[in-house]
Amino acid sequence: MPTFKVAIVGAGPAGYFAAQALQNAQNEDKTFSIDMIERLPTPWGLVRSGVAPDHPKIKTVSKVFEKIATAGNFRLFGNVELGTDIALADLQAKYDAVILATGSSLGRKLGIPGEELKGYLSAADFVPWYNAHPDYTDVEVPLDTETAVVIGAGNVAMDVARMLALDPSELDPTDTADHAIAALKKSGIRKVYICARRGAEHAAFTSPELRELPKLEHTNVIINKTDIDAAIIAAGDSPEKDVKSNLDAMLAIAEHEKTNHARTMEFLFHHVPTEIKGSGQVQEVVFKTPVGEKTIKCGLVISAIGYEAQPMTDVTYEKGKVLNTEGRVKENIYVVGWAKRGPSGVIGTNKSDAAAVIELLISDLKAPKDFGDINELIGAHKIITQSHWEAINTAEVSRGEPLGKPRVKAADKNELLRLGGL
Ligand code: NAP
């Protein structure tokens, strides 16, 4: 029975779901030997470094990832970077198929004056900072200001605004990076504006995330009822189900009894940012609104307006994505997840997306290649295998136990290698 060798580059949800689709497609005619290559010493992608720490339920999908990783015919090659430790052309030659699952790690730019000022950040830098991503521990996040402005009306903007507006003691039982908890405990921020450029009927939030906001124990959440009344009219008599559900959730917030907490998160609609101003450091943001220009004084601005893929050599990119046709990139190279379709959908979206690409991949397979093993290419490089990763995982979880946390993450690459036993 032929065994086809498949390399998956990127150990995030899209990569694991691609591996799962391959495992599910095995039958008496063919099996797959799967090698997952990840540049970090830790797998799980956005489930580790993107999902908000106060959303632990979303992270339980990692159990599925571990099941895939231990189902047999699967090897993890962590701490191995494509383009540096190994070339795409080498993978292309050695494997029957190569699947890029490298995501979208760059924050989209607003393209307005002032983005170079200290105190302006993209969510693409802030989110991995609070999630202990080893490449983002040095990100400067000025929290010594009373007011922060978050630009964007999607779930990432909401995560960012919530992380800034909640009482940091609420993060104690989470796996937020230690450095971020310490910084947030000293934060002077008491007012967070979340600014949408269009009306509430166009917001990209999802309703479960909106519905949990009134449950925040130490934060007032403010939505102006007149904004939602106007959005309900603008949405018309038969709005789409998701829009209706969002507007219902926002109306519930608008009608929710106001509290007297010291911290406030307020939604502003029809606020188009035109300039960030300050001398050396952010001091205010200028918006165009339906009633004219408006300025909000603040010391921190975080944009959460979408992501683009980080380009790599030998792959063509277009509009922030790998150029592809339904997941086919070029001879025996495929792409899945955000690198394929752009930064949209929830974690589960990657399952059907990957399954469709694997179907195409299988239809393209010919006779299996036999050109040796990837280990011959990597040489003496320190590789995090599945068992090294399991050692890291166990160590982090046991460090968390006495503190009532799901884990205490290591944010330093050398410490991660040490925890892995390397
Ligand atoms: P998103 O859902 O696409 O939202 C991006 C937001 O940025 C939109 O409101 C968009 O407004 C706005 N925007 C774009 N360009 C702008 C500009 N130049 N100025 C002002 N606003 C601008 O993206 P995301 O929030 O990054 O989320 C990515 C994906 O991950 C989404 O599918 C999201 O649902 C998912 N996610 C899910 C969860 C969860 O399930 N809890 C958490 C985080 C992320 P327009 O509509 O006007 O363009």
Side-chain angles (χ1 to χ4, degrees), residues 16 19 23 33-36 68-76 386:
Y16 279 103
Q23 289 172 343
S33 158
I34 302 163
D35 287 346
M36 183 175 268
I68 295 164
T70 50
N73 286 354
F74 180 104
R75 298 188 298 179
L76 177 66
Q386 179 65 18

Side-chain angles (χ1 to χ4, degrees), residues 80-115:
V80 176
E81 184 164 22
L82 190 69
T84 310
D85 303 313
I86 200 160
L88 182 60
D90 289 333
L91 294 182
Q92 199 178 6
K94 277 216 180 313
Y95 287 86
D96 296 296
V98 180
I99 302 171
L100 304 174
T102 40
S104 309
S105 59
L106 304 178
R108 261 192 209 135
K109 294 271 178 214
L110 280 167
I112 60 173
E115 283 183 283

Side-chain angles (χ1 to χ4, degrees), residues 85-413:
D85 303 313
I86 200 160
L88 182 60
D90 289 333
L91 294 182
Q92 199 178 6
K94 277 216 180 313
Y95 287 86
D96 296 296
V98 180
I99 302 171
L100 304 174
T102 40
S104 309
S105 59
L106 304 178
R108 261 192 209 135
K109 294 271 178 214
L110 280 167
I112 60 173
E115 283 183 283
E116 74 293 345
L117 289 172
K118 184 170 175 268
Y120 167 78
L121 287 177
S122 162
D125 297 319
F126 180 62
V127 172
W129 172 77
Y130 64 62
N131 274 325
H133 187 303
D135 295 348
Y136 294 83
T137 50
D138 292 338
V139 171
E140 255 188 81
V141 185
L143 298 167
D144 52 346
T145 174
E146 171 93 20
T147 304
V149 165
V150 179
I151 295 172
N155 283 333
V156 173
M158 203 183 334
D159 282 349
V160 165
R162 214 179 51 253
M163 286 297 288
L164 291 171
L166 50 67
D167 188 301
S169 63
E170 292 178 57
L171 297 175
D172 285 336
T174 71
D175 64 1
T176 308
D178 284 347
H179 60 252
I181 296 192
L184 288 163
K185 283 195 171 164
K186 286 193 240 146
S187 167
I189 294 172
R190 293 297 176 266
K191 179 98 194 180
V192 180
Y193 290 104
I194 175 163
C195 303
R197 64 176 168 178
R198 298 193 284 163
E201 71 279 17
H202 298 292
F205 311 125
T206 50
S207 57
E209 280 64 34
L210 285 164
R211 284 209 190 89
E212 69 178 29
L213 291 179
K215 296 177 202 151
L216 284 178
E217 284 183 32
H218 304 280
T219 310
N220 297 316
V221 181
I222 299 176
I223 295 185
N224 191 332
K225 188 168 177 304
T226 54
D227 283 340
I228 307 307
D229 291 340
I232 290 170
I233 293 168
D237 290 339
S238 44
E240 277 177 31
K241 200 170 149 242
D242 289 350
V243 173
K244 174 157 184 0
S245 178
N246 261 4
L247 290 175
D248 287 348
M250 286 192 257
L251 189 62
I253 297 173
E255 290 175 340
H256 186 251
E257 203 180 315
K258 299 287 165 287
T259 50
N260 289 320
H261 301 307
R263 295 163 199 270
T264 302
M265 172 173 166
E266 179 167 354
F267 289 68
L268 301 174
F269 294 97
H270 294 292
H271 277 56
V272 181
T274 55
E275 187 171 0
I276 303 167
K277 286 185 174 172
S279 53
Q281 170 138 6
V282 169
Q283 285 166 326
E284 57 188 41
V285 189
V286 184
F287 293 94
K288 194 174 82 187
T289 78
V291 291
E293 196 176 273
K294 175 173 162 184
T295 298
I296 297 181
K297 298 216 172 300
C298 61
L300 176 66
V301 179
I302 301 184
S303 62
I305 57 165
Y307 294 84
E308 293 185 351
Q310 165 93 55
M312 58 173 128
T313 43
D314 300 330
V315 178
T316 309
Y317 288 79
E318 195 178 74
K319 295 185 184 148
K321 298 178 275 188
V322 173
L323 187 63
N324 73 91
T325 310
E326 291 168 45
R328 285 188 178 108
V329 179
K330 53 184 170 181
E331 200 202 332
N332 82 340
I333 300 190
Y334 302 82
V335 63
V336 292
W338 281 11
K340 168 186 171 244
R341 65 175 195 277
S344 66
V346 292
I347 289 165
T349 312
N350 294 299
K351 194 169 171 166
S352 48
D353 178 280
V357 177
I358 295 305
E359 222 177 286
L360 289 184
L361 180 156
I362 290 173
S363 71
D364 292 343
L365 287 173
K366 298 183 182 85
K369 287 180 185 168
D370 187 13
F371 289 141
D373 196 80
I374 181 181
N375 279 309
E376 295 159 15
L377 297 174
I378 302 177
H381 187 80
K382 284 186 178 171
I383 298 163
I384 293 283
T385 63
Q386 179 65 18
S387 60
H388 293 123
W389 157 239
E390 283 168 13
I392 297 173
N393 198 10
T394 306
E396 286 190 339
V397 170
S398 25
R399 298 197 308 194
E401 264 162 24
L403 303 168
K405 294 172 184 276
R407 68 177 62 240
V408 173
K409 286 182 190 164
D412 175 77
K413 266 191 188 167

